[in-house]
Amino acid sequence: MKSILKIFWAVWNFWFTLPDKIRFLLVGGFNATVSYLMYVGFVLWLGEEKYWISMTLAWIFSSFVSFTTQKIFVFQTKGNVIDWFHEYIKCVGVWIIAYLINAVMLEIFVRIANINVYMAQFLAIVCTTVSSYILFKYFAFRKK
C-alpha cells in the first residue's frame, strides 16, 4: 500500500510541474471527451434532429465535471465553500460564452458547411478551447 501511495504522490507532484497550459489542454481534452460522449449519447437517444437539445443537456451535465477537474487539476485555487461557489458562478459565465461560441459554430458547420452533426460538434469544441482557457485563467480561477 505504501508503494502505491508513493507512486500516486510522485505522479501528483510531477503533474503540477507541468505548465498550466499543458494541464489545461490535457484536462480540457478529458472534459471535452466527456462532454462529447454525453452529446453523442443524447443524440442517439433523442435523434439527430434534436442536436441542439443534445448539446444543451451535455453542456449542463459536463459542467460539473469540468469545474471540478479545472479547479483541482489545473488552477489549484483554494478557499472555502463560498469561494468555490463564486468560482462556479464565474465558470458558468465562461461556459455561457463558450456555449454561445459552440452553438454558433455548430450551426455554421451543420447548416452552412453541411457537415454531419457529430463532426460539426467536434470542430466546434476545438474552436472554443483557446477562448475558454483565457477566460478560465484570467477570470474564473484568477488567483487573488
Side-chain angles (χ1 to χ4, degrees), residues 18-90:
L18 298 173
D20 66 348
K21 289 178 183 100
I22 301 296
R23 292 193 315 260
F24 180 81
L25 285 175
L26 293 171
V27 170
F30 170 79
N31 292 334
T33 300
V34 167
S35 179
Y36 183 74
L37 291 174
M38 286 182 185
Y39 170 77
V40 168
F42 285 123
V43 166
L44 292 172
W45 182 42
L46 299 171
E48 288 186 18
E49 67 282 352
K50 299 207 172 139
Y51 65 90
W52 272 85
I53 295 170
S54 297
M55 181 188 65
T56 303
L57 291 171
W59 182 81
I60 290 167
F61 289 113
S62 66
S63 72
F64 298 109
V65 173
S66 181
F67 171 74
T68 305
T69 56
Q70 294 293 349
K71 179 172 183 51
I72 294 170
F73 296 109
V74 178
F75 299 107
Q76 289 188 288
T77 57
K78 309 284 187 231
N80 59 31
V81 173
I82 303 287
D83 296 328
W84 278 59
F85 179 74
H86 287 279
E87 285 178 338
Y88 184 76
I89 295 302
K90 288 192 239 177

Side-chain angles (χ1 to χ4, degrees), residues 1-9:
M1 185 64 161
K2 283 185 180 183
S3 61
I4 293 173
L5 285 174
K6 266 183 149 176
I7 292 169
F8 171 81
W9 286 114

Side-chain angles (χ1 to χ4, degrees), residues 39 51-52 55 101-111 117 120-121 124:
Y39 170 77
Y51 65 90
W52 272 85
M55 181 188 65
I101 293 169
N102 186 312
V104 168
M105 298 307 298
L106 183 62
E107 195 64 16
I108 289 169
F109 292 143
V110 170
R111 300 272 182 205
V117 297
Q121 178 62 4

